[in-house]
Amino acid sequence: MSEYRPKSGVTPYINVDGAREAIAFYKQAFGAKSASMPAEGSDKLMHAQIDINGSPIFLSDFFPDYGFKSVAAQGFNLHIHVDDAQMWWDRAVGAGCTIAQPLKTEFWGDIYGQLIDPFGVTWAIGQSVKA
């Protein structure tokens, strides 16, 4: 864990209803490692970091009492590029992700598919295929 701070580049930051449950799910589905900071006087998480496949993702609960209302995930996916897409796919589906786009070899030559987790976040799993 990088002490809740990005090292460089762009770090995705997602918000979900039930960050603690999401972290438990991401551990099961994607092998995530985590660190979290609870909100004072609440069971919600003010800030957390998960590391998946060597990359950090920040996340937190929504806080409508502070003007940070709940909204559905939209317009993005979190892409995991791996050496064994089928293993990652099977683990995520087994944990409870639903298939949005089946895992298959695509026209550009790579293996690719998309899943939606129980929190509404879309995940893409890809694998380069050597020619």
Side-chain angles (χ1 to χ4, degrees):
M1 297 292 113
S2 62
E3 298 299 318
Y4 309 115
R5 292 184 187 96
K7 294 178 182 172
S8 65
V10 176
T11 303
Y13 202 120
I14 60 174
N15 305 101
V16 296
D17 280 324
R20 289 180 191 275
E21 293 85 4
I23 290 170
F25 180 81
Y26 296 146
K27 286 179 177 181
Q28 182 182 4
F30 302 117
K33 300 189 181 343
S34 71
S36 59
M37 181 186 315
E40 192 172 313
S42 173
D43 63 342
K44 293 182 175 187
L45 294 180
M46 184 174 103
H47 180 69
Q49 177 178 328
I50 57 174
D51 289 342
I52 296 175
N53 197 32
S55 294
I57 298 171
F58 293 164
L59 71 150
S60 72
D61 281 291
F62 292 103
F63 287 88
D65 295 349
Y66 295 97
F68 191 43
K69 66 181 181 175
S70 178
V71 295
Q74 54 191 329
F76 69 92
N77 71 61
L78 298 175
H79 181 87
I80 306 171
H81 207 78
V82 296
D83 291 331
D84 186 352
Q86 192 67 57
M87 185 280 298
W88 282 77
W89 184 267
D90 291 344
R91 180 175 59 188
V93 170
C97 285
T98 58
I99 297 170
Q101 180 180 340
L103 185 68
K104 63 183 174 119
T105 302
E106 291 291 354
F107 67 90
W108 62 86
D110 287 353
I111 297 170
Y112 181 85
Q114 289 188 356
L115 304 164
I116 300 173
D117 73 27
F119 303 91
V121 177
T122 302
W123 295 81
I125 296 177
Q127 175 184 341
S128 297
V129 178
K130 295 177 176 68

